[in-house]
Each structure stands twice: as C-alpha cells, then as structure tokens.
C-alpha cells in the first residue's frame, strides 16, 4: 500500500489490481475460518511503516461492507503515506511467522488446519531505488522452512530490474507481474501451487 502504488495507478492500474486481488482473497476465504480452520491476516507495507494492519488473524471481515472498509483503508494509506520502503522488514516478518509464532507476532499470510503456513508479499519492485538487496529478500523468504513464502513484484515495464531481482532470489519464491491486469490470475496460480505442495 505504498505511495508508488497510488502514484503509478493511473499509468498501469496497479493499485486497482491490488485492491481487486485483496477482495478476491477475502471473498474466497470467507467462512473458511469456521468451516476449514483457515486463518489469514492482511498487512500492508509502505514508506511509513513495515506493518500497516488491515485484517488480523482470527478477525476476518464478516461481510461485504467490512471488506470494502479494508480496501478503503488500503487506498487511503497509499494516497497519503510518505515515500520509502519497508519491503525487507515486511518479508522478514511474514516469512518467519510460522506455527511457533504467537498470534500477535505472526505476520501476514494464511494458515490452515493441516498445519500449512503461507506468506505472500507484493511489492512494486523499486528495490534498487531504496538500496535493497534481492538476496537479502531471498534469504528472508526461505528463513523459516515451515512457511511457504512467495514474493510478487509488480514491474513497471521499464527496464528489467524486476527480472534481475527475481533471478537473484531462490527458485520458486518469486514471481514478476509485468502487466497489473494479470495480477489476479497470477495470485490465484501462486495460491493453487502453494496449496498443492
């Protein structure tokens, strides 16, 4: 929910696609906490903070109005936050949020009744601009073997920075989305692949 998500939305629709994906996830997981024991949390990151709470574990939005309020908080935060980057901190928090972590220390992601733990981090791939090393992010993604972590970079289409970053990270942990319109389909494919493992 960074400022660049808002700033570049008029160019490639990245914020709109992020909001669509978030709604898709919340709707897909609606009721699964009760029926299948699946818990999830949504946490944003921006130049302001590495932890922008959106949905807490065990407290999913109960209806469409509450899901819309989550999207409104995301859009408002991206519009008014400072530039900067807390991607590495967010990845570290999410990828180390396995079953041994307490409910207040777990990062964003999902966990199911079968003991599976997932973390998905989306970023707009401005790593070099903020001096972030993709190898550090890769190390963080694989830091907890009990968490299946995945990093999705929404690339601007200018240059191949995102592709270079993806090649520097551990295989199978990173995807690059060159067209924001493909983001919902990519997220769905990543989820299906992670759950099938």
């Amino acid at each position: 929910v960074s400022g660049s998500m808002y700033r570049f939305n008029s160019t490639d629709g990245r914020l709109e696609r992020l909001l669509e994906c978030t709604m898709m996830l919340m709707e897909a997981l609606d009721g699964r906490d009760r029926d299948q024991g699946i818990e999830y949390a949504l946490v944003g990151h921006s130049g302001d903070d590495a932890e922008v709470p959106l949905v807490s574990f065990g407290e999913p939005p109960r209806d469409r109005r509450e899901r819309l309020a989550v999207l409104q908080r995301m859009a408002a935060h991206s519009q008014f936050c400072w530039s900067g980057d807390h991607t590495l901190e967010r990845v570290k928090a999410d990828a180390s949020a396995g079953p041994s972590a307490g409910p207040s220390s777990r990062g964003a992601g999902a966990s199911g009744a079968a003991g599976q733990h997932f973390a998905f981090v989306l970023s707009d791939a401005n790593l070099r601009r903020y001096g972030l090393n993709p190898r550090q992010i890769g190390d963080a993604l694989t830091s907890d073997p009990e968490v299946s972590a995945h990093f999705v970079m929404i690339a601007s289409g200018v240059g191949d920075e995102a592709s270079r970053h993806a090649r520097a990270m551990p295989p199978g942990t990173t995807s690059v989305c060159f067209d924001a319109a493909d983001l919902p389909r990519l997220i769905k494919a990543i989820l299906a692949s992670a759950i099938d493992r």
Side-chain angles (χ1 to χ4, degrees):
V1 291
S2 66
S4 56
M5 284 286 197
Y6 178 80
R7 189 168 33 261
F8 293 114
N9 188 56
S10 62
T11 305
D12 60 14
R14 65 181 65 183
L15 179 60
E16 285 177 37
R17 299 301 184 248
L18 176 63
L19 297 175
E20 289 171 5
C21 284
T22 304
M23 180 61 90
M24 176 186 72
L25 287 171
M26 290 187 292
E27 287 180 344
L29 294 171
D30 185 39
R32 292 182 185 253
D33 57 324
R34 296 179 306 275
D35 302 340
Q36 299 171 2
I38 295 174
E39 286 189 328
Y40 73 95
L42 298 174
V43 179
H45 67 282
S46 69
D48 280 356
D49 201 336
E51 186 166 342
V52 179
L54 300 167
V55 174
S56 298
F57 276 104
E59 299 175 20
R62 294 174 298 206
D63 54 34
R64 197 153 177 82
R65 182 186 56 78
E66 289 185 5
R67 289 191 287 273
L68 179 59
V70 171
L71 302 183
Q72 289 171 327
R73 284 195 310 275
M74 292 172 68
H77 184 86
S78 70
Q79 186 174 2
F80 298 108
C81 68
W82 292 100
S83 65
D85 197 283
H86 285 91
T87 300
L88 181 58
E89 295 92 332
R90 185 75 258 143
V91 172
K92 285 180 178 179
D94 292 345
S96 64
S100 59
S104 62
S105 62
R106 291 188 289 184
S111 62
Q116 296 175 298
H117 302 274
F118 307 99
F120 304 96
V121 180
L122 277 69
S123 175
D124 57 9
N126 288 329
L127 305 183
R128 187 175 58 188
R129 176 179 178 188
Y130 296 105
L132 297 174
N133 183 329
R135 286 192 177 87
Q136 289 177 301
I137 293 174
D139 290 345
L141 287 167
T142 57
S143 64
D144 186 339
E146 296 189 48
V147 177
S148 178
H150 201 88
F151 188 61
V152 178
M153 290 184 280
I154 303 171
S156 65
V158 178
D160 64 347
E161 180 179 355
S163 295
R164 283 194 315 275
H165 293 327
R167 286 191 297 271
M169 294 188 203
T173 62
T174 306
S175 296
V176 178
C177 182
F178 288 104
D179 184 348
D182 294 333
L183 188 58
R185 190 175 22 239
L186 176 63
I187 296 296
K188 184 177 180 181
I190 292 167
L191 282 169
S193 174
I195 290 169
D196 288 342
R197 283 189 201 158

